[in-house]
Amino acid sequence: MKKTWIKILAAAAVLAIAAAAVAIALDIRANRRGGAVPVENSMLYYFSDTEGATRFLVDSDLLDDRIGGFVDSFMTCDGTVGLARAGTGLYRVDADGVTLLYPAGVERAALSLDCETAVFTTATELHVVVNGGEIEHVKPESAVSIPAIAVSPDGRTVGYTVKTSDGAYTAYAYRNGESSKLADGAYVIAIGDGAGVCWWIDPADSSLWYMAGGKAKKVADNVSSQTEFNRTLTEVMFDIDGVTYYSVKGSKPKALVGGASVFSTQTDRASKQGGDGCMSSVKDCDTIFGSVFYGCRSSSSSDNTRTVYDLWYVDGHRHATALAKGAYQFYINEARTKLSVLIDSAVWSMDIDDPRTAEKICANVYGYNASKDGRIFYCIGYDRGLYYVEDGANPIKIAEGAVYSAMTADGKCLFLSNYDSTGILCLADGRKPLVTVTDNAAHFEVFPKVCCYYTGVYEDEYGNKAYDVYTSKDGAEFTLALSAARLGSNGEE
């Protein structure tokens, strides 16, 4: 469920503590080995105690550039450009290397959808930089903090909120080197190209406001602290009391799928904006509809607790069709025509908008992976067998002792077996003989353009807990990319 909006006026002390801790509004999708955002390109970071620095992996190439110290926050819209904070300094990372944008004091940051413009704040200043070039500095009068920022999809307009010493909040638009006032009592969460459209929250009553053509209107009261927009900001999703509503061009809100709190699966490409009080996700899509939406909750059994998903298809007219309830996994094929789900212990495949087309793929399954086209499945059974299923044919067991698997970009399957702190990593390609990669894999991950595996933990010459990172473009031939990487900033997970 989406977080409930915390009224800013009633939480000044909390925000002051957050500011003192130099909180940063960055999109962090952490895994146990570092930070990663598995979108179009692969951009990972690792802390190496041997080098005493953070090293970046872009696709399968380790950058020569490095950052001295541990990266605590990382964000990217599409995986081609990233913003990383180490200490309180901000860095821009891409395939060409690492560029220091600002040395210290960075509190929050945002990146435009085109990945060209970075916007960030220090204590009482706003900073804008395009493509790692010269930084524009904006110092608003009477500001004690800048609690929220937004950047237009084309990167040429910036929205920001100023908080003054008397506790007032005012939103501004910055473009062409000048700032103009948008509204009082406004905590900005999204701004359109040329400031033609703007969305904000009024901290006094947690209301959501929409402005277009210079005219503002209230859309809803008591909204949640998380919102989702399409690229043009004409569509918005938000929660009220645990139920997701939508509004189109500031229209009266309507419940999306009844009494549920849901998220869109339209795209992973998104810009995270706003601030600590309320964060928005501006998605790089024409519409957030015509897609699958999901809600998640926990389901407990006698032996474990798993996240389960309830799924709906919402068409372009905002008509919702229930697809599945209580799925342990789901996958949408690349063409966005097929949905597969794991319910109870069976994998089913169906047309993305019609549950009546569902066909059973495999039974007695604990976890599964599907190819991009949704035709090939690799399923791990409760017997720990790895089963191969193609085009609805009968499942074929191809391995024993499997515990975890993932599909590579070209439709093959990497999996771990015989696992006890480490295991055997193998590559499966349908009925062909298995390829053994290593017998010392503690974990592995698959991204769009690179596969990584991490060795078992060992102590380096200084007594630090460390592991080695191996990478591969095809999941078969791995090479050492980084040796003696730490598990964390202090050598612990």
Side-chain angles (χ1 to χ4, degrees):
M1 184 178 294
K2 301 173 187 177
K3 297 178 181 178
T4 302
W5 166 260
I6 300 175
K7 291 186 178 180
I8 300 175
L9 297 182
V14 175
L15 291 181
I17 294 171
V22 202
I24 189 166
L26 296 184
D27 180 29
I28 305 170
R29 297 185 187 179
N31 58 61
R32 67 189 295 269
R33 299 294 180 173
V37 180
V39 286
E40 289 187 353
N41 283 34
S42 305
M43 189 178 290
L44 320 176
Y45 61 84
Y46 302 94
F47 184 78
S48 171
D49 59 351
T50 299
E51 302 292 339
T54 298
R55 301 295 302 275
F56 289 87
L57 186 72
V58 179
D59 296 338
S60 58
D61 299 321
L62 190 69
L63 296 180
D64 291 332
D65 292 348
R66 62 201 71 195
I67 295 174
F70 183 68
V71 169
D72 59 21
S73 299
F74 182 80
M75 73 179 301
T76 181
C77 295
D78 65 1
T80 61
V81 176
L83 295 180
R85 192 183 72 166
T88 57
L90 189 68
Y91 300 79
R92 184 182 189 276
V93 186
D94 60 25
D96 294 326
V98 178
T99 302
L100 174 64
L101 296 181
Y102 208 77
V106 174
E107 294 186 352
R108 57 183 44 83
L111 185 64
S112 61
L113 275 175
D114 63 5
C115 296
E116 297 291 324
T117 303
V119 182
F120 59 97
T121 66
T122 48
T124 58
E125 290 190 35
L126 176 78
H127 311 272
V128 182
V129 57
V130 179
N131 247 343
E134 185 176 347
I135 299 178
E136 299 177 54
H137 305 280
V138 183
K139 187 173 177 57
E141 294 183 4
S142 305
V144 296
S145 68
I146 302 176
I149 54 176
V151 57
S152 64
D154 68 2
R156 298 178 183 178
T157 304
V158 174
Y160 64 97
T161 293
V162 171
K163 180 184 178 183
T164 58
S165 58
D166 61 358
Y169 291 81
T170 303
Y172 296 86
Y174 176 79
R175 53 181 171 150
N176 300 325
E178 296 183 355
S179 291
S180 59
K181 182 177 174 180
L182 292 171
D184 292 317
Y187 190 96
V188 67
I189 55 174
I191 193 164
D193 297 343
V197 175
C198 186
W199 293 83
W200 66 81
I201 297 289
D202 185 341
D205 58 5
S206 305
S207 58
L208 176 66
W209 288 73
Y210 166 78
M211 185 174 74
K215 297 182 179 180
K217 63 181 293 188
K218 182 190 287 189
V219 176
D221 289 315
N222 300 315
V223 303
S224 64
S225 64
Q226 298 180 49
T227 54
E228 293 185 68
F229 295 91
N230 65 334
R231 185 192 305 108
T232 58
L233 308 184
T234 54
E235 301 170 351
V236 63
M237 291 168 46
F238 54 89
D239 275 19
I240 301 174
D241 296 329
V243 177
T244 296
Y245 292 79
Y246 72 89
S247 170
V248 178
K249 296 182 179 179
S251 64
K252 182 179 179 180
K254 295 181 180 179
L256 190 59
V257 292
S261 174
V262 297
F263 296 87
S264 170
T265 64
Q266 188 66 282
T267 179
D268 284 332
R269 289 173 54 106
S271 173
K272 299 296 184 180
Q273 306 183 16
D276 298 325
C278 188
M279 179 175 286
S280 67
S281 176
V282 180
K283 292 178 170 287
D284 192 13
C285 58
D286 293 328
T287 177
I288 55 180
F289 304 112
S291 67
V292 173
F293 289 75
Y294 70 94
C296 52
R297 51 193 170 82
S298 295
S299 176
S300 298
S301 62
S302 58
D303 55 348
N304 65 357
T305 299
R306 300 177 70 177
T307 299
V308 295
Y309 304 92
D310 300 328
L311 303 162
W312 295 263
Y313 181 82
V314 180
D315 65 22
H317 300 288
R318 275 77 77 182
H319 174 73
T321 299
L323 299 174
K325 186 174 183 180
Y328 291 119
Q329 288 181 248
F330 69 93
Y331 178 77
I332 301 167
N333 71 340
E334 190 173 48
R336 307 189 73 81
T337 58
K338 288 288 186 178
L339 168 72
S340 58
V341 294
L342 171 59
I343 297 179
D344 295 330
S345 60
V347 177
W348 299 78
S349 178
M350 68 186 76
D351 292 344
I352 199 169
D353 59 351
D354 189 355
R356 295 171 299 180
T357 63
E359 296 180 353
K360 185 181 288 187
I361 301 298
C362 192
N364 299 316
V365 175
Y366 183 82
Y368 80 99
N369 298 107
S371 61
K372 289 181 179 180
D373 59 11
R375 294 176 47 249
I376 295 174
F377 295 83
Y378 289 88
C379 304
I380 296 180
Y382 278 92
D383 62 353
R384 295 183 123 188
L386 181 67
Y387 292 83
Y388 172 74
V389 188
E390 182 175 3
D391 284 334
N394 291 329
I396 300 172
K397 182 183 281 190
I398 58 175
E400 302 278 0
V403 294
Y404 175 68
S405 63
M407 297 291 285
T408 65
D410 59 356
K412 299 173 185 177
C413 180
L414 277 170
F415 68 97
L416 270 174
S417 63
N418 301 323
Y419 190 86
D420 182 10
S421 74
T422 61
I424 300 173
L425 179 63
C426 293
L427 180 69
D429 184 8
R431 302 182 185 186
K432 296 179 182 179
L434 300 176
V435 175
T436 300
V437 174
T438 181
D439 61 1
N440 184 33
H443 185 57
F444 76 92
E445 294 172 290
V446 174
F447 301 98
K449 296 185 179 180
V450 65
C451 304
C452 306
Y453 84 79
Y454 315 103
T455 65
V457 177
Y458 60 88
E459 287 192 359
D460 64 13
E461 58 184 314
Y462 304 105
N464 296 312
K465 293 181 180 179
Y467 63 98
D468 297 335
V469 181
Y470 286 78
T471 62
S472 171
K473 293 181 179 180
D474 61 5
E477 299 293 332
F478 282 79
T479 58
L480 178 65
L482 187 62
S483 61
R486 284 187 181 178
L487 290 175
S489 60
N490 60 356
E492 298 178 355
E493 287 191 280

